[in-house]
Amino acid sequence: MALILGIESSCDETAAAIVDTSAPTLEHRILAQHIASQDEAHRPYGGVVPEIAARAHVEKLAPLIAATLADAGLDLSDMDAIAATAGPGLIGGVMVGLVTAKALAMAGDKPLLAVNHLEGHALSPRLADPALAYPYCLLLVSGGHCQVLEVRGVGDYRRLATTIDDALGEAFDKTAKLLGLGYPGGPAVEKLARQGNPRAIRFPRPLVGSGDANFSFAGLKSAVARIVQGGGEDPADVAASFQQAAIDCVVDRTRIALGGLSGMSALVVAGGVAANAAIRVALEGLAAEHGLRFVAPPPALCTDNAAMIAWAGGERLAAGYADPLDAMARPRWPLDPTAEAVRGAGVKA
Ligand code: KG4
Ligand code: ZN
């Protein structure tokens, strides 16, 4: 049995969780978790303000960890390791979480796991679904990333595609802002889209049909801006038509990436945007087309959380990894360091 305390603070959620990696089902794996969202603090600015985020992490993290341990009826000495996001993300917040993990690891004489936030997302489907085996094809879609990866094992990723400009979550957030839906935007766009006609407006589908599998959302974002600023369209139709265009891009690009792979155990989606029900349905269809199982974690495990960090830490510990107490916080940290930068991108990974 391995009990891992996980800490997440790379963006605007402060989170702590205790995961028992040896439990057979998701239900029994997460012993306790707390997530403090900073949505209210950032809402007036329409996006995450790094300084406000870092300060909020400082204020909230220690009591949150204490509450998580108390909920589980455990204390630091019961933990087998301490895992924290060490990047990529907003550096101030990452440092708060990582330095806290280092202090706990030192005080409790426990191994430290400096976890790549993207690896947390990438392995979260294995936390949710004990039957998911390596290797699998992963679409990782979040606020900062849009990638297709071949997940071969812990720490072993091959990037097949990435965005050449914006991340998918960014496109959702921008559309929400244009429609006055506020922050965070993705869930609000999804909700409004349910009342609209996805075929009302013919938005562009950037790169659809191109030979490589890369993504692009900048042109779609500009087209939404033009339509909204032009006025006269029903906001629900704009949301639905935008979402449909985004889904068509995602499915087409992922199909190309899948075409270059064999021996995959499943098509998997993770990251904040994977909480979107319409995207999940479309990807399920794509998986079926390829005779693959489709796996998506429950929505609450798609958006940022500490259980996925604890889980990734547990997988790393089991694979024989541990990190020194001087492990660095990294604002950028690609999962596949051999992947070549693509035009205009790589900026965020
Ligand atoms: O993984 P995540 O929580 O944080 C990052 O690591 O970026 O992803 C956040 C992103 C945001 O852009 C948010 O708008 C988007 O995921 N998102 C959604 C939905 N829920 C969250 N996008 C579309 N539909 C949703 N239901
Ligand atoms: Zn994330």
Side-chain angles (χ1 to χ4, degrees), residues 9 36 58 69-70 93 110 130 139 153 157 174 182 221 228 250 272 280 290 294 296:
S9 60
V58 170
L69 285 165
K110 309 287 180 188
L139 172 68
Y157 303 90
K174 186 68 200 292
K221 187 176 79 180
V228 173
V250 163
R280 294 161 82 107
H290 286 78
F294 175 66

Side-chain angles (χ1 to χ4, degrees), residues 119 121-127 132-139 149-153 157 160 258 261 263-269 295 311 315:
E119 183 159 58
H121 281 303
L123 303 185
S124 64
R126 282 170 52 82
L127 162 61
L132 177 61
Y134 297 120
Y136 52 89
C137 177
L138 171 74
L139 172 68
L149 297 149
E150 179 188 356
V151 181
R152 298 159 157 172
Y157 303 90
L160 302 158
L258 266 176
L261 288 171
M264 296 297 107
S265 74
L267 173 62
V268 177
V269 66
V295 177
W311 176 263
E315 286 221 33

Side-chain angles (χ1 to χ4, degrees), residues 6 11 14 23 28 36 46 56 95-96 110 121 142 144 163-164 176 188 211 215-216 219 221 223 230 244 276 313 327:
C11 191
T14 316
H28 296 100
M95 286 171 72
V96 172
K110 309 287 180 188
H121 281 303
S142 68
T163 177
I164 64 167
F215 300 85
S216 168
K221 187 176 79 180
Q244 190 57 53
N276 185 292

Side-chain angles (χ1 to χ4, degrees), residues 313-336:
E315 286 221 33
R316 292 187 69 77
L317 187 69
Y321 296 103
D323 293 285
L325 287 174
D326 63 354
M328 296 281 283
R330 301 172 65 171
R332 291 180 193 172
W333 188 358
L335 276 181
D336 177 359

Side-chain angles (χ1 to χ4, degrees), residues 162-167 170 206 215-219 342-345 347-348:
T162 189
T163 177
I164 64 167
D165 40 54
D166 299 338
E170 237 176 312
F215 300 85
S216 168
F217 297 105
V342 297
R343 136 181 86 95
V347 187
K348 286 161 186 145

Side-chain angles (χ1 to χ4, degrees), residues 4-7 15-19 30 32-34 68 79 305-308 310:
I4 316 285
L5 171 65
I7 295 171
I18 296 166
V19 165
I30 303 178
Q33 68 168 326
H34 279 271
T68 305
M79 297 300 114
N305 65 87
M308 70 180 191

